[in-house]
Amino acid sequence: MDLDYHALAPELVVAATILVVLTLDVVLSRPRKYWTAFAGVLGLAVAAVPLLTLAFGDGPETRSMLGGAYVVDGFSLVLKAVFIVGGYLVLLMSVSYIESDRYYQGEYYLLMLTSILGSLVMASSRDLITLFVGLELVTGPLFLLAGWRKGSAKSNEASLKFFILGVLSTAILLYGMSFLYGLTGSVTFEGIREAGADLLDSGAFRLAVLFTLVGFGFKVTAVPFHFWAPDTYEGAPTPVTAYLSVGSKAAGFVGLLLLCYKALPSVTEIWGPALWVLAALSMTLGNLTALRQDNVVRMLAYSSIAQGGFILVPFAAAAASNDAAVIQEAASATIVYVIIYAFMNLGAFGVVIAGARRTGSTMIDDWAGMWRYAPRLAVLGAMFFFSLAGIPPLAGWYAKFAMFLSILRPGNAWATTLAVIAAVNAVIALVYYARIAKTMWMDPVPEGATHMAEATGPLSGSLTLALGISAIFVVVAGILPFEFAGVFADLAKVVTTGI
Amino acid sequence: MVLTQFLILGALLFSIGVYGLLSRRNAVTVLLAVELMLAAVNINLIAFEAFWNTAAAHGQIFAIFVITIAAAEVGIGLAIILMVFRNRASGNIDELDLMRW
Amino acid sequence: MTFSDWIAEPVNWAFLAMAIPMVVAALRVVTSRNVVHAALFLVLALAASAGLFILLSAEFVAWVLVLVYIGAVVVLFLFGIMITRAPIGRETNLSHDTRWPAAAAALGVFAVTFWLINGVTQQIGGFGDPLPAVGRATPTGILGEGFINRYLIPFEAVGFVLLAALIGGITLARKDLTPAEEEEGARV
Amino acid sequence: MVSAVASATLILAAGDGAAGDLSSGGFFAETAWIMLALPFVAFLAIIVVGKRMKGLGAELAIGAMGVNLLWASVLFVQNMAGGIYREVNLTIAEIGTLGITDKNLAFELGFVVDGLSIMMYWVVAFVGFLVFVYAHGYMKGDVRVPWFFASLSLFAGSMLVLVGAPNLIQLIIGWEGVGLASYLLIGHYWEQKENTDAAVKAFMTNKVADVGLILGTILLAPTLGSFRFSTLSVAADIHDGALEGVAVAGALLLFFGAMGKSAQFPLHVWLPDAMAGPTPVSALMHAATMVTAGIYLMARTFPLYQQMATAARPWMVTIAVITLFVLGFLALVADDLKRVLAYSTVSQLGYMMAAVAVGGYTAGLFHLFTHAFFKALLFLGAGSVIHAVHSNNMSDMGGLRKEMPVTFWTFVVGSLSLAGVIPLAGFWSKDEILATLGHEGYTAFMWVAILGAFVTAFYMTRAVVLTFFGTYKGQGHPHESPRVMTAPLVALAVPSVIAGLLNIPGVSWGPIRNFTDWVGARIVPMGDYHPKAIEWDLAAYGLIAALVGIAVGWRLFAPDADTQQARDRLQVPVLYPLLHRKYYLDDLYMKGVVNPIKGPLARAVDWVNGYVIDAIINGAGAGTAWLGGLVYGRLDQQGIDLLLNAAAGGTRGAGGKLRLLQSGKVQQYAGAFVGGALLLVVAFVLVT
Amino acid sequence: MAWFESAGLSLIVFLPAVGALALFAIPKAREDAQKWLALVTTGLTAVLAVAVAANFRYGASEKFQFEVSESWIPAIGARYHVGVDGISLPLLVLSAVVTVLAVIYSWDHWEEPRNVRGFLALMLLLATGMNGTFVALDLVLFFIFFELVLLPMYFMIGIWGDSAKRHIPVLGRTVTMRLYAAIKFFIFTLFGSAFMLLGFLALYFRSGDFLGHNTFDIPTLIALGSQNAFGSGTFAFLVFGAMFLGFAVKVPMWPFHTWLPDAHTAAPTVGSVLLAAILLKLGSYAFLRISIPILPDMAREWAPFIGLLAVIGIIYGSLACLAQTDIKRLIAFSSVGHMGFVMLGIATMTDVGFNASLIGMVAHGLITGLLFFLAGSMHHRYHTREIARLGGNQKLMPWMGGILAFTAMASLGLPGLAGFWGEFMSLLGAYRPLAGLSLSQFQTYMVIGAIGTVLTAGYMLWMLQRVNLGEPKAEWSDHEFHDVEPTEWLAWAPLIVAIVAIGVYPRIVLGATTDAVVNLARNAFGG
């Protein structure tokens, strides 16, 4: 066993945190259960430390262990950072939400941390088995968390729908993977890459690739594999939804990235057009559908479908060219988008959580005139929503910019067409994002809303912290993309060279 | 014995699972259908393993992971079904239409 | 290889002996009007597949399947069925009206995969040949080594999956206690 | 060509002053810009402090004009003695090369002091000064005296900028400046809608004409590489045949501009309406100075017409003759005294234009010169009457010769001068125009012009008779105007009588020479025709026409000047309605052009904006929203139902459909999932 | 003053943004302090802008000065590259100065719901976007600033705009103007700029073919453009078209203009002023800064089309004005016509035409800005913008009426005031467009444009007649009207002075621009 404990440290810390939370949950009496939250948050913070030491300690080198089955390199470090920071923010948002009701706190954090652990595993996986198990580790707890509001019929439904479609997607994914393995004789990405090049013309291989993609398409809510998302997002506890739309979705993209760039770079002809179609469909249908939503969570669900489409665009770009530089740029565009999307979408959900507490509703119309009684929240809301819409100088612009950059680079007609579709969609998206801003800023306060707002009092500290972190990121990264805190600059290079 | 026969058997099983998944009303039976699909995956994996016949036995290991995960999922699924049942006194999934629009 | 060649091999008789009941059982799983019967047909199908595994020299997997599935999972199913009080007698409405489209979809899936599988065995050399591994059992040690060496991380991860499923499942499935009851439970 | 002109201009620019045998003038020529600037100073000063002054700012305006008059007089005398030429240009911007010239085209401001401009300076200053003085009395007690004098000063300044312009750009600035002042002063009593209507009409008519001026400038300037008149003159002198096309087009466009300001048919319609302004305004702007700007422009660009754009002449002279003849008739039916004078002005401007158009540079300018005196005199006289009777209408006047002797006698002098009775100024100038027309071969037009002289005399007689003879028909007791108003009348009567003597053909008055010599002091020789001796036969025809006109007028109106019959005597069928409706031109413009644009066309565009262009946009927006609803409602949430329903064969009928809609949500999602995967595989495996 | 050379422009750009942040350090109730802070910030910015103009080397106005180029987004090679040349200098100064005036005007003009701090902060943010656009020399930077103006303006219109209802044909709905206008403005502009961005990126990629590395640097791309590197094929066509969409919407050119009347009408006074005075210029400026020098051959091919849309805009805008019943909407439509002249100048592809567009932009900024100030102040007093209900304004408020008349005259292009030069030079350019363009076509444009000046005069005079002249309506008889107030004087006087000064001495603007545009035309089209 050639274990590199330094490289494994983040996972180990998270795993240890899970056990600590488990223990605390058993030991602590009910009023003290918030310590589990504290432990979880602290654990994630500690897990970030080895990330930094790995990244900057002796340079971002590639650390491979267990015969190449598990690799820690720039690519995985960046993504792990996203998962840990994103998870950290979700936990912060969860605190008051989970505390405020009779939810099972200890178990909640345990499941959440387990899911985060799964995403860490995925980021380092370099074979189908690890990838698959990691994915299940991400998803399994989420099936349960989606139904965490046990008393709510909506939550039950969310959970069941998510679960049934989830296992369906797992089955399809596995069926595809079985062929991937079967036709190449290898479960490692490297082996698949080497053998796959000769299988380009094999229909069964194509089936294998496409079924595997479909499995991940479920995670990233690509149309038409998205149907579970709106119902689940709406029904699940909002912090869980936030995590679903960010962490779990990012995990899906990690799977796609690994699959497309590490395992199947030689057969772009297979997955490129498929992802082109999924990207176009997701952007267009997601946006069009989001136009008609009255519930802010549901709207964010469709928006997240559309954003998923945007994130898929660079894949199509990579497939449209054989140039290594183009492919690298496409990969980094996806990663950049995922990073920025994580922060802004989490911010948006933070606003939703806070706004729902303020108004007692997630219906957009009930948020009318919010800036009069909750100006800071309204400012933050406008910031995150317009960032999602890609309006400079908020960070979202750079995500879209990088996406456009990648899709235009190949310069062929298909790629350019997709760019135009994306451009039109960017405009459509503005409509519903601006609609929320409009409601919060420009509509009169409905009767009685102010009293309710006064009654609920100020935001909890942890939620404020989460919103603050997201907001600072969204602004700073928008003005100085890639220079934020000077941290990611080097890693970004690794991203582009590591694949 | 050739590889094809197992693959076709797997495909048959997988398709039957698909049919069950799409047509069954009861959540538990839907879950049963999924188990059929996973069984198809396992047949594929083992058949391919036999075909490649490598020393490392990746296919079998994969199959064991699949079985384990499937078991965990059944547990999760039944827990969810149970919870739904507590609230609704019904195991039929087609009555889940709160969020129709 | 023609069908007559194929059928001449005794091992294929064994294959058919397991495959045909398996398919029939699978069909019954998805068509049975009784949930319990459906679950029991699943046992049959899985048992048949375990038999096939043995035929393919994957004994360990076969026994895992028997133990885990037939021994645990199906029991779990039966518990689930009973707890949710799904009617144990004959049921008339287990399937709903979507069964024709569902059948169409399933047929579509099968047709496509069948066609592609045929294609691959004809196009690519080796895929159509008799399976080499038959009759040569895989040493279980290799599997064990795989689990604690190359697949250590997923092995551990599966542990966490099970842990999460266990804890989460219990949390979701259990009847909520009132705070008062809980206090009492804590004291006990 | 461009280079030839450029080099010629360069020679000129080197001197930036005298050319040929002309002197560069002295101090007063050098600092002539002060004349141009003074009225603007007065304008600003009146706006700021006018209200608090004793004379409500009139003294500032009068003072400025007084200084100007002195200044202009000095220059006038200097130029009499020997020609002056001085041109000063200050570049206010370089604007680029248009890709055709070596150096940047430049916008310039400056002033030119030569025979033409000195004459104009003096006329503007002289008439202006007298009118200002007159107005000081006339406007006493008006609602906004300071603003009135400020506007007058603005006008005077703009007019001087115009006539002093050494280039087309500055000319345009002055041109539109006087237009603005005209607009402001016509609409001086802007509480009444008819006044503002008249002001807008004046502005708009001129604006239409200005299109010609601006386009003409645009045509000529890039060709020449400069906006300067001196360059234009030199270029015309060089006469490159290749440029004749541009020259003719440019000349016609400039002429179109002049038609507006100088009220040539059919753009004259604004001038009679402009009488809505206070009478001093009519006297100064709408008789003596502003309306002559078009003539001035023709004179300023005269070498162009004389040397290159001769092809444009027939068109121009035709317009001018129509103006002088046809529009004179309108004065016959007007009851408003000022309108009679206004139509007379239009007609006289036609004479000037006809002269300039056929090459009678001196003749046209001389008529401009004399006309300024007697027409200003007539207007001021009319103002004096109006001041007394508080009405513009001759039907409210009559018999005023006894009550208002000074006004009466000066008015008669003016009328006779206008009618062209020897030896008054109008006779000489009109005669020279007739002679020029004849000499240049426009004989038919000459006879029309002579006929026009008859009409002139006829309507002026009518006006004098109806105003001053018979008995008074108005309200109250009219009395002679104060000295401040009668003094300018007398001062104007003098040149109205004697000015003609300055340009008797062939007569040169020693050191002060002849009018021809004064206005001929230009950078290049004008090469125009002016008679060397009096053509007595022609003079006789003109004189006879005038005298017959007076006689007929007297005969028709004098015996029963008091009665309605006299006034109605001209109401002959066909002709009268035609004249009364002003040849229906106003109707044509309003009903044929303005109203359709303001009404249906503007509304149509607004409709297009709202219902077509914006509708497409809104439609796209609504369509997207609708599509969103469709995608969400039908496809995302229901589509699978429909799909499955269709696949199910629809055998179960409506009830079955309803049941389908209510069931199996999750399976529908799953179906879409499987279906999507299947489609992907089919599309990218089987098809490709 | 080396520091000024290097930091001057950045200060002009970012000082307002810093001011916007600093505003939130002041408690909400202390409105005076907030106003003073905003005034000092924008005032300082304007002083700096004027200082830049004072230290500008006019002899070398075709060169970028006060240039700064720093690393910004190394991953894509986008740099923080700013600088001014003769083309951008007048617009930069205009932008900085008008912002101060807007702050001064705001001093005692607040729309409901009153929120001094928020409004000022948006205004300052807007200033950063506007100033930044005019100095950006990197396509990405340009894009950021170009878009940065959207958010503040969206909120300005949406929150403080006109709450009147308006029935929208086709949509079949009655909408609240401010909401409708805000989102319309936003979507239109974003739609255009999405395509503009695609165009930028395409340039970026193609530049690599010539340089070996891809670049967003505008001067570098211009250098490539002057060698006609991008040619006139499909690529250039699409890129030009994409950028055209972005810029034309912003200008706005017919038929992309329909956001403008709604936005201008609905916006609060200061919003309308900034919108008209500065924001519209971003588009036309971008043509001169980006489209034409980088893709000259394509510009030449597009020129007749641009010219056509421009003259349609001139006529269409004027005719639409004649049909308006709302004074602000009338002024808004007049912008369509005036920007038509600006675009006609650009379409001629001559130095004179470019000059025309630049001085036209400055003049339109001053004049229409002032007109919107006036319309706002009148609305403030009459509480209506219905032309039919006004009348006799000259009598009720002589100074206000006088300034309105003055501005209307300037707007209709009276020679001697700023508005004339742009119109005149556009027509002059159209008479002799770039060699190779159809003479007869452009001369037709010239004639139509000239007719447009008549229509312009027509609606302006008609507006004056109905608003300013005549007797006041009976409904105002017992109203107390106060004439122009001190803050209004302070805000307007500089504009009035500038309109006259530029009218009499256009070198104030053209002195900076001429060498630059001559150089631009020469580099782009040779000769």
Side-chain angles (χ1 to χ4, degrees), chain E residues 6-29:
Chain E
S6 57
L9 292 182
S10 303
L11 280 174
I12 291 173
V13 173
F14 293 112
L15 206 56
V18 172
L21 285 181
L23 274 177
F24 288 94
I26 302 175
K28 189 171 164 57

Side-chain angles (χ1 to χ4, degrees), chain E residues 383-395:
Chain E
H383 302 289
T384 182
R385 299 190 308 256
E386 278 296 306
I387 294 176
R389 287 178 61 197
L390 303 175
N393 180 51
Q394 184 81 60
K395 189 160 228 166

Side-chain angles (χ1 to χ4, degrees), chain D residues 114-203:
Chain D
D114 66 353
L116 177 61
S117 63
I118 288 170
M119 188 273 281
M120 291 301 291
Y121 289 148
W122 190 77
V123 168
V124 172
F126 178 70
V127 180
F129 177 73
L130 292 177
V131 169
F132 281 23
V133 170
Y134 176 91
H136 186 43
Y138 186 87
M139 297 301 285
K140 207 147 248 165
D142 192 80
V143 279
R144 30 183 169 263
V145 174
W147 179 239
F148 180 77
F149 279 99
S151 304
L152 273 184
S153 297
L154 179 66
F155 163 75
S158 303
M159 190 70 201
L160 290 169
V161 162
L162 191 167
V163 299
N167 59 56
L168 277 160
I169 295 297
Q170 184 179 337
L171 179 117
I172 290 172
I173 293 176
W175 188 274
E176 300 250 5
V178 296
L180 171 67
S182 161
Y183 165 80
L184 294 175
L185 287 164
I186 295 169
H188 184 69
Y189 301 111
W190 42 253
E191 284 87 347
Q192 278 84 49
K193 185 157 185 299
E194 53 275 23
N195 298 344
T196 55
D197 278 346
V200 170
K201 188 174 180 183
F203 200 108

